[in-house]
Amino acid sequence: MKMMTSNLNLYYGEQQALYDVSLEIPQNCVVALIGPSGCGKSTFLRTLNRMNDLIGGVRIDGRIELDAVNIYAEDTDLVTLRKRVGMVFQRPNPFPLSIYENVIYGCRVHGLKDKKRLDEIVERSLRRAALWDEVKDRLQAPAMGMSGGQQQRLCIARVLAVEPEVLLMDEPCSALDPISTMKIEELVQELKQAYTIVMVTHNMQQAARVSDYTAFFLNGKLIEHDVTDTIFTNP
Ligand code: ADP
Ligand code: ADP
């Protein structure tokens, strides 16, 4: 899997939010998108699986490629794209369903019905999201009864269940307490073995702790991008 943007510009109506952003996303890394509030981090993240298309008045030029294919091409299948490039949001957003049904939600959308297969996916996804041991005895319990940190790991499991290649995370810890944040950070470190992770964070310490590569945005422009150690040791 190879993902890159070249000369990407994005406009919300008259207002330009991204200017000429070219970035090759390194694989099997955690890539942190940092910069002050309003600099375009979330906007950039959302263009990577075309979430911005849901908003009226958004115009994009430039290219975003996934394995050398332009994801903004006319014939792009958005369901497949969002399966390959999954998104975890700032606030945990489980559906008002059981833990089990939350995990396999995407699989059902994709038409999977075999009970044994679904059971396997639930266990595998919850294990990968470091949640299995905590919930294995209450898979039919409502997801809304879980703690915030558990809900966020459930949302990660839900994305992992459909076997994505890239995981987009928009400030996944900012609604969580410090212990839950630490658990998610540890999880992100483990997941990068198997997935490429692009994570927005306003927290510089978090970027330094968990990311391998850092892209720094300012006023809609990509100002600097390099391996995280270099970014954080340079004056
Ligand atoms: P960040 O994630 O760095 O805080 P955003 O990507 O959310 O920045 O916002 C970048 C700019 O685009 C801001 O000026 C913001 O107000 C504007 N913006 C974000 N989303 C929308 C939207 N849906 N419609 C119009 N303007 C938006
Ligand atoms: P964040 O910076 O954490 O992404 P914001 O408070 O900037 O959050 O934005 C929250 C939501 O409002 C986002 O979905 C964003 O797209 C939308 N938004 C932000 N700025 C604007 C704007 N100027 N006009 C319309 N929608 C906006």
Side-chain angles (χ1 to χ4, degrees), residues 181-208:
T181 295
M182 202 179 72
K183 282 189 186 156
I184 301 273
E185 288 184 2
E186 282 170 9
L187 176 58
V188 165
Q189 297 281 0
E190 280 165 32
L191 291 173
K192 75 179 182 192
Q193 326 271 344
Y195 310 94
T196 294
I197 298 173
V198 186
M199 182 171 89
V200 169
T201 177
H202 62 266
N203 180 333
M204 297 283 216
Q205 281 83 20
Q206 182 171 66

Side-chain angles (χ1 to χ4, degrees), residues 10-13 15-18 33-46 52 55-58 170-171 200 202 217 219-220:
L10 183 142
Y11 308 81
Y12 289 114
Q15 191 205 347
Q16 188 164 0
L18 294 175
L33 308 182
I34 63 170
S37 181
C39 69
K41 305 180 294 293
S42 298
T43 296
F44 179 73
L45 190 79
R46 289 194 301 254
N52 281 316
I55 307 167
V58 173
D170 195 349
E171 305 216 26
V200 169
H202 62 266
F217 285 79
N219 298 326

